[in-house]
Amino acid sequence: MTSLSPADAERLKLAFQRCRDMEGTLNEQLRAYADAGREIFPAYGEAVDRLVVRLAENGGGENAPRPGEMMAPFMLPDENGRLVTLPSLLERGPLAVMFFRGHWCPYCRLNVRAVIQAQDRITAIGAHIVAIMPETQEFTEQFKADAGAPFPVLTDLDNGYALSLNLAIWLGTEIQRLLSYQDMARFHGNDGWMLPIPAVFVVGRDGLVKARFVDPDFRKRMEIDDLLEALESANRDH
């Protein structure tokens, strides 16, 4: 099977809701969803496994900024079209710069939900979050509204910033075919089929990366406790 049937799309939606509501850590929820996805849409799970191997062999994300290095500055539009810069965000305290694949990605939706649930603890630390996606403003706005995210969601059109950090990847023809039911060209404003590797960079007020999570397997994300610990540590360093 090379595309998702409406019946299987409905099954995936129910699996997503089940995983979202289950007790457990973020990565336990993500694993449960990945397992359900393999059962419902095995061709996609197998294609993703091959993509992850290819990315790992090519050192996907390895050259992204490391702890102790400066985080490259950015100036990107938020969901309201207002330009946001890295220095302006760092003035408010330590920052987690989080890359997401898009509003359509269930793993990103589980990830952002877990971050929002920890928002009070993040605020108590004196830290902040910014999300970056390769989607146009229409969809960053939708992502933010659907999630109820209290932080800015920025558009990295054509993955320009992700490319500068060595995070942008081409999905390849196999995944394109399997994801053809998603209107990526509309989401991205181009038909390049490029996405960022989901990643987190915890940046101190000094602009230095304090911690990072970069994994070419988008089904794995930085655990919320690790994120909180890194933000707390970045705040102490100040």
Side-chain angles (χ1 to χ4, degrees):
M1 183 179 68
T2 56
S3 65
L4 194 62
S5 71
D8 284 341
E10 188 58 33
R11 286 173 69 202
L12 271 181
K13 195 171 151 189
L14 293 172
F16 172 81
Q17 289 165 354
R18 194 171 63 248
C19 297
R20 182 194 62 195
D21 297 336
M22 71 180 261
E23 290 293 316
T25 66
L26 169 60
N27 279 291
E28 283 167 352
Q29 292 179 340
L30 295 169
R31 267 196 304 277
Y33 183 75
D35 290 345
R38 274 181 198 288
E39 202 178 301
I40 297 164
F41 194 18
Y44 182 63
E46 289 158 17
V48 168
D49 289 342
R50 286 190 284 275
L51 173 68
V52 169
V53 168
R54 171 165 69 83
L55 293 174
E57 284 172 350
N58 295 330
E62 268 180 33
N63 295 323
R66 297 174 181 281
E69 295 177 357
M70 285 298 290
M71 187 68 180
F74 59 73
M75 182 189 282
L76 298 168
D78 70 8
E79 68 286 344
N80 299 312
R82 191 174 60 93
L83 287 174
V84 175
T85 67
L86 179 63
S88 68
L89 292 170
L90 291 177
E91 279 172 13
R92 299 167 55 206
L95 179 72
V97 180
M98 306 189 74
F99 284 84
F100 293 105
R101 299 164 83 227
H103 78 287
W104 56 272
C105 171
Y107 297 92
C108 297
R109 296 209 306 273
L110 288 171
N111 192 173
V112 79
R113 184 171 185 271
V115 172
I116 291 166
Q117 285 176 332
Q119 187 63 43
D120 288 349
R121 286 182 288 167
I122 292 165
T123 304
I125 292 166
H128 306 274
I129 304 286
V130 66
I132 298 179
M133 294 172 17
E135 298 193 325
T136 62
Q137 189 181 322
E138 176 189 352
F139 298 104
T140 57
E141 209 173 357
Q142 189 180 324
F143 183 71
K144 182 177 165 107
D146 288 351
F151 42 79
V153 182
L154 311 184
T155 290
D156 181 23
L157 211 55
D158 300 335
N159 286 283
Y161 186 54
L163 278 164
S164 77
L165 302 180
N166 298 299
L167 284 178
I169 58 161
W170 180 60
L171 287 180
T173 50
E174 185 183 27
I175 301 265
Q176 282 183 44
R177 196 175 66 247
L178 293 164
L179 279 181
S180 58
Y181 63 95
Q182 299 284 9
D183 194 352
M184 292 294 192
R186 185 163 157 251
F187 302 159
H188 294 167
N190 66 61
D191 58 1
W193 284 86
M194 298 276 288
L195 287 180
I197 293 173
V200 181
F201 300 90
V202 172
V203 185
R205 283 177 189 262
D206 54 8
L208 293 175
V209 177
K210 306 298 181 183
R212 75 170 197 173
F213 180 93
V214 182
D215 193 318
D217 188 344
F218 63 79
R219 298 165 295 193
K220 298 173 184 168
R221 305 294 169 102
M222 188 181 212
E223 203 52 84
I224 299 302
D225 285 348
D226 296 338
L227 173 65
L228 291 166
E229 197 179 312
L231 287 168
E232 207 157 356
S233 172
N235 203 32
R236 281 198 304 271
D237 286 351
H238 178 58

